[in-house]
Amino acid sequence: MKKYKKVLLILIPLLVVVVAAAAFLYQRQQNQTKSNEPKPTEAMVFFHGYGSSRNAEKSMSNYLVKEKVSSRKINVTVSKNGKVDFSGQAKAGDKNPIYLVQFNDNSNVDFAKTNQWVTTIMTQLHKQGIKSVNLIGHSMGNMAIVYYLKNHVQQSSQLPAVKREIDIAGHFNGLNRQGAAFSSLNEQGQPSQETDTFKALAGLEKYYQNNSTKVLNIYGNSTGSTQSDSTVPNNSSKSLKYFVQSPSTYQERLISGKNAQHSKLHENQEVDELLVKFLTDKLS
């Protein structure tokens, strides 16, 4: 019995050392494998809505990681004075990293200012090796996107190309409280009554004419006959079509029911599935 105990006293520490060494070698091999893989050159960037935060982006981004469309999430914080901080950088072996943007001044509707913020983010992404991006916005986040595009009609060698754009609950011709926002649209998507919001986007079409960006416009009807997501009329969202011209392409999808309410759209399973299909070029 004493000999048996002595053997155990020798074998157990030895076994611990062997297991630890094997784990170390395995991790080193994994790291070596990843280091031999290229750094990603394409990324997804999420923009939240008015008064919101990156928390509104978590459900969608978690689903994209779950479905293996992406393998990593990185936080981007824009301070009230416009300083941009990244929680990290994409590494070799990462797949389509997701950048979750948070505007600390989250009720700022000066879109000349948000354009500066987005431009700073894109400039830094390009310096980090990101050559193309897929931009995803909810509510006012869409305005941050389109004002950025409007101000960058000509592709710059210092900025990533915008490969895809996904707009969720966009208010391109105003909000529910504006009667004109419910205006009918012609075949081109132009409202019969244009709000100041729509008029201010004049020139946006030049971006789409000068670039090749795939656009998916998602909007919700949670109110039934009034055709609104309770905050934005469907026709206001659909008026984006007017600006998206060839060679860029445009698709739109309606989400219906109680979970199509404005703030619930970024937690909606149908929206998640549309994102995956569109980002993987499987949406017909």
Side-chain angles (χ1 to χ4, degrees):
M1 180 65 77
K2 288 183 178 179
K3 287 184 178 181
Y4 180 70
K5 287 183 177 179
K6 287 181 180 180
V7 170
L8 284 179
L9 289 173
I10 295 172
L11 288 179
I12 290 174
L14 182 61
L15 182 61
V16 170
V17 171
V18 170
V19 170
F24 172 77
L25 290 173
Y26 174 78
Q27 188 60 49
R28 188 171 72 173
Q29 183 182 26
Q30 291 295 103
N31 291 339
Q32 182 64 37
T33 299
K34 283 191 173 183
S35 66
N36 290 334
E37 295 178 6
K39 286 186 67 176
T41 58
E42 184 172 325
M44 291 172 274
V45 189
F46 279 79
F47 297 93
H48 62 75
Y50 184 92
S52 189
S53 69
R54 70 169 58 92
N55 287 332
E57 306 158 1
K58 284 185 177 179
S59 178
M60 294 182 289
S61 60
N62 286 343
Y63 188 81
L64 291 173
V65 172
K66 176 187 171 184
E67 294 299 308
K68 300 186 179 351
V69 178
S70 172
S71 64
R72 186 157 185 232
K73 298 189 294 182
I74 297 171
N75 291 336
V76 183
T77 304
V78 182
S79 70
K80 290 186 176 182
N81 65 8
K83 185 175 182 295
V84 176
D85 288 313
F86 288 72
S87 65
Q89 292 191 20
K91 299 177 181 178
D94 285 347
K95 178 182 179 181
N96 294 329
I98 296 172
Y99 293 84
L100 302 173
V101 175
Q102 176 166 307
F103 297 131
N104 284 348
D105 189 0
N106 61 6
S107 58
N108 192 320
V109 293
D110 179 355
F111 297 120
K113 181 67 68 176
T114 61
N115 168 56
Q116 293 175 10
W117 297 343
V118 178
T119 301
T120 300
I121 293 170
M122 296 301 156
T123 301
Q124 292 193 27
L125 284 176
H126 190 272
K127 289 179 179 178
Q128 294 172 21
I130 300 299
K131 305 301 181 187
S132 63
V133 290
N134 301 300
L135 305 182
I136 305 165
H138 174 260
S139 192
M140 195 180 74
N142 299 302
M143 304 307 281
I145 291 173
V146 295
Y147 270 86
Y148 168 74
L149 301 181
K150 178 184 172 183
N151 283 276
H152 295 86
V153 170
Q154 299 298 331
Q155 180 60 48
S156 168
S157 60
Q158 304 303 312
L159 297 169
V162 180
K163 190 173 181 180
R164 301 179 186 87
E165 170 192 347
I166 301 176
D167 301 277
I168 305 169
H171 56 287
F172 306 104
N173 194 38
L175 302 165
N176 271 13
R177 62 175 179 265
Q178 300 165 277
F182 287 89
S183 297
S184 61
L185 309 177
N186 64 20
E187 289 185 5
Q188 288 72 44
Q190 184 176 21
S192 58
Q193 296 181 64
E194 298 178 4
T195 64
D196 290 341
T197 301
F198 188 86
K199 291 175 181 176
L201 292 175
L204 173 60
E205 69 279 0
K206 294 179 182 177
Y207 166 80
Y208 296 108
Q209 292 168 346
N210 281 277
N211 297 275
S212 183
T213 297
K214 297 178 180 179
V215 178
L216 174 62
N217 189 11
I218 302 172
Y219 53 94
N221 181 6
S222 63
T223 63
S225 60
T226 55
Q227 298 184 352
S228 163
D229 65 11
S230 79
T231 300
V232 181
N234 291 167
N235 278 356
S236 176
S237 296
K238 294 167 67 177
S239 66
L240 175 63
K241 178 183 178 181
Y242 176 76
F243 299 103
V244 184
Q245 300 180 22
S246 181
S248 294
T249 61
Y250 176 87
Q251 295 184 71
E252 60 182 40
R253 291 293 187 274
L254 167 66
I255 308 295
S256 299
K258 64 180 182 179
N259 290 327
Q261 188 272 341
H262 189 73
S263 297
K264 292 182 179 179
L265 281 168
H266 53 65
E267 312 294 325
N268 189 297
Q269 179 82 19
E270 285 185 72
V271 173
D272 292 342
E273 292 171 358
L274 283 172
L275 263 60
V276 169
K277 289 180 180 178
F278 187 68
L279 290 165
T280 56
D281 292 323
K282 294 177 182 177
L283 184 63
S284 57

